[in-house]
PDB file of all heavy atoms in Angstrom:
ATOM      1  N   LEU A 121     -93.899 -72.372  20.637  1.00 81.00           N
ATOM      2  CA  LEU A 121     -93.581 -72.177  22.104  1.00 81.00           C
ATOM      3  C   LEU A 121     -93.333 -70.797  22.466  1.00 81.00           C
ATOM      4  O   LEU A 121     -93.867 -70.428  23.615  1.00 81.00           O
ATOM      5  CB  LEU A 121     -92.354 -73.080  22.421  1.00 81.00           C
ATOM      6  CG  LEU A 121     -92.038 -73.220  23.901  1.00 81.00           C
ATOM      7  CD1 LEU A 121     -93.091 -73.767  24.752  1.00 81.00           C
ATOM      8  CD2 LEU A 121     -90.618 -73.948  24.018  1.00 81.00           C
ATOM      9  N   SER A 122     -92.708 -70.022  21.650  1.00 78.00           N
ATOM     10  CA  SER A 122     -92.623 -68.629  21.896  1.00 78.00           C
ATOM     11  C   SER A 122     -93.868 -67.867  21.994  1.00 78.00           C
ATOM     12  O   SER A 122     -94.094 -66.968  22.774  1.00 78.00           O
ATOM     13  CB  SER A 122     -91.637 -67.969  20.891  1.00 78.00           C
ATOM     14  OG  SER A 122     -90.255 -68.387  21.031  1.00 78.00           O
ATOM     15  N   VAL A 123     -94.766 -68.130  20.992  1.00 81.00           N
ATOM     16  CA  VAL A 123     -96.016 -67.495  20.916  1.00 81.00           C
ATOM     17  C   VAL A 123     -96.800 -67.880  22.247  1.00 81.00           C
ATOM     18  O   VAL A 123     -97.517 -67.055  22.881  1.00 81.00           O
ATOM     19  CB  VAL A 123     -96.900 -67.994  19.757  1.00 81.00           C
ATOM     20  CG1 VAL A 123     -98.150 -67.413  19.772  1.00 81.00           C
ATOM     21  CG2 VAL A 123     -96.172 -67.570  18.501  1.00 81.00           C
ATOM     22  N   ALA A 124     -96.813 -69.138  22.583  1.00 83.00           N
ATOM     23  CA  ALA A 124     -97.513 -69.655  23.777  1.00 83.00           C
ATOM     24  C   ALA A 124     -96.986 -68.883  25.017  1.00 83.00           C
ATOM     25  O   ALA A 124     -97.656 -68.355  25.921  1.00 83.00           O
ATOM     26  CB  ALA A 124     -97.325 -71.037  23.927  1.00 83.00           C
ATOM     27  N   GLY A 125     -95.580 -68.699  25.143  1.00 81.00           N
ATOM     28  CA  GLY A 125     -94.986 -68.004  26.217  1.00 81.00           C
ATOM     29  C   GLY A 125     -95.358 -66.466  26.167  1.00 81.00           C
ATOM     30  O   GLY A 125     -95.749 -65.984  27.300  1.00 81.00           O
ATOM     31  N   LEU A 126     -95.526 -65.904  25.091  1.00 83.00           N
ATOM     32  CA  LEU A 126     -95.865 -64.518  24.998  1.00 83.00           C
ATOM     33  C   LEU A 126     -97.345 -64.376  25.464  1.00 83.00           C
ATOM     34  O   LEU A 126     -97.575 -63.462  26.324  1.00 83.00           O
ATOM     35  CB  LEU A 126     -95.808 -63.915  23.597  1.00 83.00           C
ATOM     36  CG  LEU A 126     -94.387 -63.597  23.115  1.00 83.00           C
ATOM     37  CD1 LEU A 126     -94.508 -63.236  21.567  1.00 83.00           C
ATOM     38  CD2 LEU A 126     -93.847 -62.435  23.856  1.00 83.00           C
ATOM     39  N   VAL A 127     -98.126 -65.125  25.056  1.00 84.00           N
ATOM     40  CA  VAL A 127     -99.593 -65.193  25.475  1.00 84.00           C
ATOM     41  C   VAL A 127     -99.737 -65.292  26.984  1.00 84.00           C
ATOM     42  O   VAL A 127    -100.368 -64.585  27.722  1.00 84.00           O
ATOM     43  CB  VAL A 127    -100.419 -66.263  24.696  1.00 84.00           C
ATOM     44  CG1 VAL A 127    -101.903 -66.165  25.268  1.00 84.00           C
ATOM     45  CG2 VAL A 127    -100.475 -65.805  23.199  1.00 84.00           C
ATOM     46  N   ALA A 128     -99.049 -66.399  27.493  1.00 85.00           N
ATOM     47  CA  ALA A 128     -99.022 -66.606  28.831  1.00 85.00           C
ATOM     48  C   ALA A 128     -98.522 -65.436  29.807  1.00 85.00           C
ATOM     49  O   ALA A 128     -99.026 -65.024  30.725  1.00 85.00           O
ATOM     50  CB  ALA A 128     -98.201 -67.943  29.202  1.00 85.00           C
ATOM     51  N   GLY A 129     -97.343 -64.922  29.261  1.00 82.00           N
ATOM     52  CA  GLY A 129     -96.823 -63.768  29.986  1.00 82.00           C
ATOM     53  C   GLY A 129     -97.704 -62.578  30.019  1.00 82.00           C
ATOM     54  O   GLY A 129     -97.827 -61.883  31.179  1.00 82.00           O
ATOM     55  N   MET A 130     -98.305 -62.199  28.903  1.00 81.00           N
ATOM     56  CA  MET A 130     -99.105 -61.041  28.864  1.00 81.00           C
ATOM     57  C   MET A 130    -100.529 -61.309  29.811  1.00 81.00           C
ATOM     58  O   MET A 130    -101.000 -60.427  30.497  1.00 81.00           O
ATOM     59  CB  MET A 130     -99.511 -60.669  27.499  1.00 81.00           C
ATOM     60  CG  MET A 130     -98.369 -60.332  26.709  1.00 81.00           C
ATOM     61  SD  MET A 130     -97.398 -58.983  27.399  1.00 81.00           S
ATOM     62  CE  MET A 130     -95.858 -58.901  26.397  1.00 81.00           C
ATOM     63  N   LEU A 131    -101.010 -62.572  29.690  1.00 86.00           N
ATOM     64  CA  LEU A 131    -102.038 -62.859  30.653  1.00 86.00           C
ATOM     65  C   LEU A 131    -101.654 -62.772  32.080  1.00 86.00           C
ATOM     66  O   LEU A 131    -102.506 -62.291  32.963  1.00 86.00           O
ATOM     67  CB  LEU A 131    -102.529 -64.359  30.415  1.00 86.00           C
ATOM     68  CG  LEU A 131    -103.220 -64.512  29.008  1.00 86.00           C
ATOM     69  CD1 LEU A 131    -103.639 -65.946  28.959  1.00 86.00           C
ATOM     70  CD2 LEU A 131    -104.572 -63.746  29.026  1.00 86.00           C
ATOM     71  N   GLY A 132    -100.474 -63.209  32.492  1.00 84.00           N
ATOM     72  CA  GLY A 132    -100.049 -63.007  33.837  1.00 84.00           C
ATOM     73  C   GLY A 132     -99.915 -61.533  34.292  1.00 84.00           C
ATOM     74  O   GLY A 132    -100.271 -61.224  35.383  1.00 84.00           O
ATOM     75  N   VAL A 133     -99.384 -60.691  33.303  1.00 80.00           N
ATOM     76  CA  VAL A 133     -99.264 -59.208  33.654  1.00 80.00           C
ATOM     77  C   VAL A 133    -100.574 -58.767  33.772  1.00 80.00           C
ATOM     78  O   VAL A 133    -100.866 -57.956  34.737  1.00 80.00           O
ATOM     79  CB  VAL A 133     -98.445 -58.669  32.578  1.00 80.00           C
ATOM     80  CG1 VAL A 133     -98.618 -57.043  32.788  1.00 80.00           C
ATOM     81  CG2 VAL A 133     -97.036 -59.126  32.487  1.00 80.00           C
ATOM     82  N   GLY A 134    -101.523 -58.974  32.876  1.00 82.00           N
ATOM     83  CA  GLY A 134    -103.003 -58.400  33.030  1.00 82.00           C
ATOM     84  C   GLY A 134    -103.618 -58.873  34.169  1.00 82.00           C
ATOM     85  O   GLY A 134    -104.405 -58.134  34.859  1.00 82.00           O
ATOM     86  N   LEU A 135    -103.400 -60.153  34.682  1.00 81.00           N
ATOM     87  CA  LEU A 135    -104.098 -60.657  35.873  1.00 81.00           C
ATOM     88  C   LEU A 135    -103.565 -59.731  37.134  1.00 81.00           C
ATOM     89  O   LEU A 135    -104.346 -59.328  37.931  1.00 81.00           O
ATOM     90  CB  LEU A 135    -103.636 -62.004  36.138  1.00 81.00           C
ATOM     91  CG  LEU A 135    -104.305 -62.790  37.413  1.00 81.00           C
ATOM     92  CD1 LEU A 135    -105.723 -62.773  37.406  1.00 81.00           C
ATOM     93  CD2 LEU A 135    -103.626 -64.065  37.552  1.00 81.00           C
TER      94      LEU A 135
END
Side-chain angles (χ1 to χ4, degrees):
L121 185 58
S122 286
V123 174
L126 282 173
V127 173
M130 296 309 168
L131 287 175
V133 172
L135 180 64

